[in-house]
Short mmCIF file of all heavy atoms in Angstrom, two decimals:
data_model
loop_
_atom_site.label_atom_id
_atom_site.label_comp_id
_atom_site.label_asym_id
_atom_site.label_seq_id
_atom_site.Cartn_x
_atom_site.Cartn_y
_atom_site.Cartn_z
N TYR A 257 82.04 66.09 49.80
CA TYR A 257 82.61 67.05 50.75
C TYR A 257 81.97 66.88 52.12
O TYR A 257 80.80 66.51 52.27
CB TYR A 257 82.37 68.47 50.29
CG TYR A 257 83.06 68.85 48.98
CD1 TYR A 257 82.33 68.85 47.82
CD2 TYR A 257 84.39 69.24 48.95
CE1 TYR A 257 82.90 69.21 46.60
CE2 TYR A 257 84.99 69.62 47.76
CZ TYR A 257 84.26 69.59 46.59
OH TYR A 257 84.86 69.92 45.39
N SER A 258 82.73 67.23 53.13
CA SER A 258 82.21 67.32 54.49
C SER A 258 81.63 68.66 54.80
O SER A 258 81.75 69.60 54.00
CB SER A 258 83.30 66.98 55.51
OG SER A 258 84.28 68.03 55.54
N SER A 259 81.06 68.83 55.98
CA SER A 259 80.43 70.07 56.38
C SER A 259 81.39 71.26 56.31
O SER A 259 81.01 72.37 55.98
CB SER A 259 79.88 69.93 57.79
OG SER A 259 79.43 71.17 58.30
N SER A 260 82.68 71.01 56.64
CA SER A 260 83.63 72.12 56.69
C SER A 260 83.88 72.77 55.36
O SER A 260 84.33 73.92 55.27
CB SER A 260 84.97 71.60 57.26
OG SER A 260 85.51 70.57 56.45
N SER A 261 83.57 72.09 54.25
CA SER A 261 83.81 72.62 52.89
C SER A 261 82.53 73.22 52.31
O SER A 261 82.57 73.79 51.21
CB SER A 261 84.31 71.52 51.98
OG SER A 261 85.56 71.02 52.40
N HIS A 262 81.39 73.07 53.00
CA HIS A 262 80.09 73.44 52.43
C HIS A 262 80.05 74.83 51.80
O HIS A 262 79.72 75.02 50.66
CB HIS A 262 79.02 73.30 53.51
CG HIS A 262 77.65 73.68 53.08
ND1 HIS A 262 77.23 75.01 53.02
CD2 HIS A 262 76.56 72.95 52.68
CE1 HIS A 262 75.99 75.09 52.60
NE2 HIS A 262 75.54 73.87 52.41
N ASP A 263 80.35 75.86 52.62
CA ASP A 263 80.20 77.25 52.17
C ASP A 263 81.14 77.53 51.01
O ASP A 263 80.74 78.19 50.03
CB ASP A 263 80.45 78.18 53.31
CG ASP A 263 79.41 78.09 54.41
OD1 ASP A 263 78.51 77.18 54.31
OD2 ASP A 263 79.46 78.89 55.36
N ALA A 264 82.35 77.02 51.09
CA ALA A 264 83.33 77.30 50.02
C ALA A 264 82.89 76.63 48.72
O ALA A 264 83.14 77.18 47.62
CB ALA A 264 84.71 76.78 50.44
N VAL A 265 82.26 75.44 48.80
CA VAL A 265 81.78 74.77 47.58
C VAL A 265 80.73 75.65 46.92
O VAL A 265 80.78 75.85 45.69
CB VAL A 265 81.23 73.40 47.92
CG1 VAL A 265 80.49 72.81 46.70
CG2 VAL A 265 82.33 72.45 48.36
N PHE A 266 79.74 76.16 47.66
CA PHE A 266 78.72 76.98 47.04
C PHE A 266 79.28 78.29 46.48
O PHE A 266 78.81 78.75 45.42
CB PHE A 266 77.57 77.24 48.03
CG PHE A 266 76.56 76.15 48.06
CD1 PHE A 266 76.63 75.12 48.95
CD2 PHE A 266 75.52 76.17 47.14
CE1 PHE A 266 75.67 74.11 48.98
CE2 PHE A 266 74.57 75.14 47.12
CZ PHE A 266 74.66 74.11 48.05
N GLU A 267 80.24 78.85 47.13
CA GLU A 267 80.87 80.06 46.59
C GLU A 267 81.58 79.70 45.26
O GLU A 267 81.51 80.48 44.28
CB GLU A 267 81.87 80.61 47.60
CG GLU A 267 81.21 81.24 48.79
CD GLU A 267 82.19 81.56 49.92
OE1 GLU A 267 83.37 81.24 49.77
OE2 GLU A 267 81.75 82.16 50.94
N ALA A 268 82.24 78.55 45.21
CA ALA A 268 82.94 78.17 44.00
C ALA A 268 81.95 77.82 42.86
O ALA A 268 82.19 78.14 41.69
CB ALA A 268 83.82 76.94 44.27
N VAL A 269 80.81 77.23 43.22
CA VAL A 269 79.78 76.93 42.23
C VAL A 269 79.23 78.21 41.63
O VAL A 269 79.00 78.34 40.44
CB VAL A 269 78.66 76.07 42.83
CG1 VAL A 269 77.47 75.96 41.86
CG2 VAL A 269 79.18 74.67 43.18
N ASN A 270 78.98 79.21 42.46
CA ASN A 270 78.55 80.51 41.95
C ASN A 270 79.49 81.11 40.95
O ASN A 270 79.07 81.60 39.88
CB ASN A 270 78.31 81.52 43.10
CG ASN A 270 76.94 81.32 43.79
OD1 ASN A 270 76.01 80.78 43.20
ND2 ASN A 270 76.88 81.76 45.01
N LYS A 271 80.78 81.00 41.23
CA LYS A 271 81.76 81.49 40.26
C LYS A 271 81.80 80.64 39.02
O LYS A 271 81.89 81.18 37.91
CB LYS A 271 83.16 81.48 40.93
CG LYS A 271 83.33 82.51 42.04
CD LYS A 271 84.71 82.44 42.65
CE LYS A 271 84.89 83.46 43.77
NZ LYS A 271 86.22 83.34 44.42
N PHE A 272 81.68 79.31 39.18
CA PHE A 272 81.69 78.40 38.04
C PHE A 272 80.52 78.68 37.08
O PHE A 272 80.70 78.72 35.85
CB PHE A 272 81.63 76.97 38.56
CG PHE A 272 81.56 75.92 37.51
CD1 PHE A 272 82.72 75.48 36.87
CD2 PHE A 272 80.33 75.30 37.18
CE1 PHE A 272 82.65 74.48 35.89
CE2 PHE A 272 80.28 74.33 36.22
CZ PHE A 272 81.42 73.90 35.56
N GLN A 273 79.36 78.91 37.66
CA GLN A 273 78.15 79.12 36.84
C GLN A 273 78.09 80.53 36.28
O GLN A 273 77.32 80.77 35.30
CB GLN A 273 76.91 78.77 37.60
CG GLN A 273 76.91 77.29 38.00
CD GLN A 273 75.60 76.77 38.60
OE1 GLN A 273 75.34 75.60 38.59
NE2 GLN A 273 74.76 77.68 39.11
N GLY A 274 78.87 81.44 36.80
CA GLY A 274 79.06 82.74 36.20
C GLY A 274 77.81 83.59 36.01
O GLY A 274 77.71 84.31 35.04
N ASN A 275 76.86 83.44 36.98
CA ASN A 275 75.64 84.28 36.89
C ASN A 275 74.96 84.20 35.54
O ASN A 275 74.58 85.16 34.91
CB ASN A 275 75.99 85.72 37.23
CG ASN A 275 74.75 86.52 37.61
OD1 ASN A 275 73.75 85.92 38.06
ND2 ASN A 275 74.77 87.82 37.46
N GLY A 276 74.82 82.93 35.07
CA GLY A 276 74.11 82.73 33.81
C GLY A 276 75.00 82.67 32.57
O GLY A 276 74.48 82.58 31.48
N THR A 277 76.30 82.71 32.74
CA THR A 277 77.23 82.71 31.60
C THR A 277 77.98 81.40 31.43
O THR A 277 78.92 81.32 30.64
CB THR A 277 78.25 83.86 31.70
OG1 THR A 277 79.08 83.66 32.86
CG2 THR A 277 77.53 85.20 31.81
N LEU A 278 77.59 80.37 32.16
CA LEU A 278 78.30 79.10 32.10
C LEU A 278 78.32 78.55 30.66
O LEU A 278 77.32 78.61 29.95
CB LEU A 278 77.57 78.07 32.99
CG LEU A 278 78.14 76.63 33.02
CD1 LEU A 278 79.53 76.64 33.56
CD2 LEU A 278 77.22 75.72 33.83
N ASP A 279 79.50 78.13 30.23
CA ASP A 279 79.65 77.59 28.89
C ASP A 279 78.71 76.39 28.67
O ASP A 279 78.59 75.52 29.53
CB ASP A 279 81.08 77.11 28.70
CG ASP A 279 81.39 76.75 27.26
OD1 ASP A 279 80.76 75.80 26.72
OD2 ASP A 279 82.27 77.41 26.65
N PRO A 280 77.94 76.39 27.58
CA PRO A 280 76.95 75.30 27.32
C PRO A 280 77.58 73.92 27.21
O PRO A 280 76.81 72.94 27.24
CB PRO A 280 76.33 75.74 25.99
CG PRO A 280 76.53 77.21 25.89
CD PRO A 280 77.85 77.46 26.52
N SER A 281 78.89 73.82 27.12
CA SER A 281 79.47 72.49 27.12
C SER A 281 79.31 71.79 28.46
O SER A 281 79.47 70.58 28.59
CB SER A 281 80.96 72.58 26.76
OG SER A 281 81.68 73.26 27.74
N TRP A 282 78.98 72.56 29.50
CA TRP A 282 78.66 71.98 30.80
C TRP A 282 77.17 71.79 30.87
O TRP A 282 76.39 72.72 30.95
CB TRP A 282 79.14 72.89 31.93
CG TRP A 282 80.62 72.93 32.04
CD1 TRP A 282 81.47 73.90 31.58
CD2 TRP A 282 81.46 71.92 32.62
NE1 TRP A 282 82.78 73.55 31.81
CE2 TRP A 282 82.79 72.34 32.45
CE3 TRP A 282 81.21 70.72 33.27
CZ2 TRP A 282 83.87 71.59 32.92
CZ3 TRP A 282 82.27 69.95 33.69
CH2 TRP A 282 83.61 70.38 33.53
N LEU A 283 76.76 70.53 30.77
CA LEU A 283 75.34 70.22 30.67
C LEU A 283 74.59 70.35 32.01
O LEU A 283 73.42 70.65 32.01
CB LEU A 283 75.15 68.78 30.12
CG LEU A 283 75.80 68.50 28.77
CD1 LEU A 283 75.43 67.09 28.32
CD2 LEU A 283 75.31 69.51 27.71
N ALA A 284 75.31 70.06 33.13
CA ALA A 284 74.63 70.08 34.40
C ALA A 284 75.63 70.26 35.53
O ALA A 284 76.77 69.85 35.41
CB ALA A 284 73.80 68.81 34.61
N SER A 285 75.16 70.84 36.62
CA SER A 285 75.91 71.05 37.84
C SER A 285 74.94 70.83 39.01
O SER A 285 74.17 71.72 39.34
CB SER A 285 76.52 72.43 37.88
OG SER A 285 77.00 72.76 39.16
#
Side-chain angles (χ1 to χ4, degrees):
Y257 296 99
S258 68
S259 172
S260 61
S261 299
H262 176 280
D263 294 4
V265 169
F266 274 94
E267 290 169 356
V269 170
N270 277 337
K271 291 180 181 178
F272 177 81
Q273 297 189 161
N275 198 23
T277 63
L278 179 63
D279 190 297
S281 65
W282 291 100
L283 302 183
S285 166

